[in-house]
Amino acid sequence: MKQRIFSGIQPSGNLHLGNYLGAIQNWVKLQDEFESIFCVVDLHAITVPQDPAELRRKTIEIAKIYLASGIDPKKSSIFVQSHVAEHSELAWILNTIAKMPELEKMTQFKDKSQKEGKESASVGLFDYPVLMAADILLYNTEVVPVGEDQLQHIEITRTLANRFNKKFGDTFIIPEHFVKKEGMRIMGLDDASKKMSKSAKSEYNYIALTDSEEIIRKKIKKAVTDSGSEIVYRDDPPRVDDASPRVEAGKPALKNLINIYSLLSNKSTGDIEKMYVGRGYGDFKNDLADVVVNFLQPLQAKIEAISDDEVLQILKDGADKVRPIAQQKLTEVKKRVGFVI
Ligand code: TYM
């Protein structure tokens, strides 16, 4: 029996290299080893305001990106979260065991609610992690492959599952996370102290998977780098107590660019360092732009080649395939809490 993985992406903003390298790239590899379920989480997307036509367009685009990246619907189930009503229903039940203070301390809620102003943050945004717990727990998920920013949400999923099991008897599997160190936190090109983000103010923060060659080259040219001119992969923290010239401050911006280079080219970070001994940022950035363009252009061609009808059928089949699993789990939950079935 294969273990099951579940993961998802919100159809909001522009999907970027962080989403690809932190999540999708790993999913493609994991689908051979695990029974895999990948979701387009539209219920999560509406926790902040969305334009309805754009939401529809993005939902289909994300599913196309999954397929174009190599998620194979014969191996994995791909579906839209709102097509399986059990997600909302389980979230409601889990709401009754989740505690306000544990949701108040979620970093993503704090960040997003600060951006919009706390007074206008929706109850849905506050409740976001509970819906995510429902997504995961409905399918007896054993492993959740995500980027680092989602670890706190997986932790609260584990807490809620344990709490429910203790209160009502063994019902949920306690899921583990899966993150891959190099891709788990791709940083912004304009500021290496913040993660690459769909909702970043400046488009120079990210490379969207749908960016044109011209834009990609422009963004990489403008990407911030660290002081010094050597291409070295270094992330040791500054050592203020050590005056040795060999020990310099970490190079987070360059480390980020080398990580992107490495993950898209299958070259190790050490090999990349060696390739640029005695060469400067100009050469390195030109080559990195080539690597990104050579990776994204074929992906974009594949996205274009998939029709809306084709993707809608795959999403329908996916929902039909996973719904019975969700229904069975929800029935079990309802019995446990004492609902008349
Ligand atoms: P979302 O849509 O914000 O991001 C999708 C995936 O991309 C990863 N990611 C990154 N990885 C590396 N570097 C970055 N800069 C970066 N930015 C984003 C995220 O960690 C994520 O894996 N809450 C989730 C969606 C979700 C979900 C789930 C995930 C809903 N239900 C159940 C797993 C299981 C989210 O907001 O992803």
Side-chain angles (χ1 to χ4, degrees), residues 10 18-19 44 128 132 135 147 149-150 183-184 186 196 198:
Q10 300 182 70
N19 300 124
H44 277 110
Y128 183 111
M132 180 158 159
D135 298 342
D149 60 339
Q150 296 303 314
M184 70 182 187
I186 299 295
M196 188 175 278
K198 283 180 211 161

Side-chain angles (χ1 to χ4, degrees), residues 5 10 29 31 37 52 110 166 177 181 235 252 288 331:
I5 59 176
Q10 300 182 70
K29 291 181 189 142
Q31 68 179 340
I37 305 179
K110 286 197 266 183
K166 216 160 148 200
H177 65 255
K181 186 170 170 284
D235 62 333
L288 173 61
T331 304

Side-chain angles (χ1 to χ4, degrees), residues 85-119:
E86 283 74 10
H87 290 249
S88 306
E89 224 178 319
L90 179 59
W92 179 258
I93 295 172
L94 293 177
N95 273 334
T96 62
I97 63 161
K99 305 209 189 313
M100 300 282 287
E102 48 195 18
L103 295 181
E104 267 157 8
K105 63 176 200 230
M106 290 291 116
T107 315
Q108 185 169 309
F109 173 70
K110 286 197 266 183
D111 283 356
K112 285 198 179 176
S113 58
Q114 258 163 21
K115 249 182 216 164
E116 304 288 321
K118 201 157 180 204
E119 315 73 51

Side-chain angles (χ1 to χ4, degrees), residues 35-149:
E35 190 201 326
S36 307
I37 305 179
F38 301 117
C39 191
V40 184
V41 291
D42 53 354
L43 297 171
H44 277 110
I46 60 164
T47 58
V48 295
Q50 302 292 340
D51 172 68
E54 189 61 9
L55 179 64
R56 217 166 283 129
R57 196 180 71 76
K58 285 277 166 198
T59 301
I60 291 173
E61 183 182 279
I62 300 232
K64 287 185 182 177
I65 291 174
Y66 287 180
L67 295 167
S69 302
I71 304 290
D72 179 351
K74 288 196 205 79
K75 295 183 196 162
S76 307
S77 305
I78 305 175
F79 76 105
V80 180
Q81 190 184 27
S82 65
H83 291 181
V84 179
E86 283 74 10
H87 290 249
S88 306
E89 224 178 319
L90 179 59
W92 179 258
I93 295 172
L94 293 177
N95 273 334
T96 62
I97 63 161
K99 305 209 189 313
M100 300 282 287
E102 48 195 18
L103 295 181
E104 267 157 8
K105 63 176 200 230
M106 290 291 116
T107 315
Q108 185 169 309
F109 173 70
K110 286 197 266 183
D111 283 356
K112 285 198 179 176
S113 58
Q114 258 163 21
K115 249 182 216 164
E116 304 288 321
K118 201 157 180 204
E119 315 73 51
S120 57
S122 70
V123 176
L125 185 64
F126 184 67
D127 200 31
Y128 183 111
V130 179
L131 178 60
M132 180 158 159
D135 298 342
I136 296 168
L137 299 176
L138 262 183
Y139 298 98
N140 293 321
T141 305
E142 281 150 309
V143 184
V144 188
V146 283
E148 191 194 32
D149 60 339

Side-chain angles (χ1 to χ4, degrees), residues 247-276:
V247 183
E248 355 172 341
K251 285 177 175 279
L254 188 54
K255 178 192 168 201
N256 188 44
L257 296 179
I258 297 178
N259 265 338
I260 294 173
Y261 194 134
S262 165
L263 288 164
L264 292 181
S265 66
N266 268 326
K267 289 191 171 74
S268 74
T269 55
D271 285 346
I272 295 169
E273 275 187 321
K274 275 185 215 134
M275 284 164 58
Y276 292 95

Side-chain angles (χ1 to χ4, degrees), residues 10 176 208 222 302 337:
Q10 300 182 70
E176 305 283 337
K222 260 192 98 152
K302 281 186 200 155
V337 298

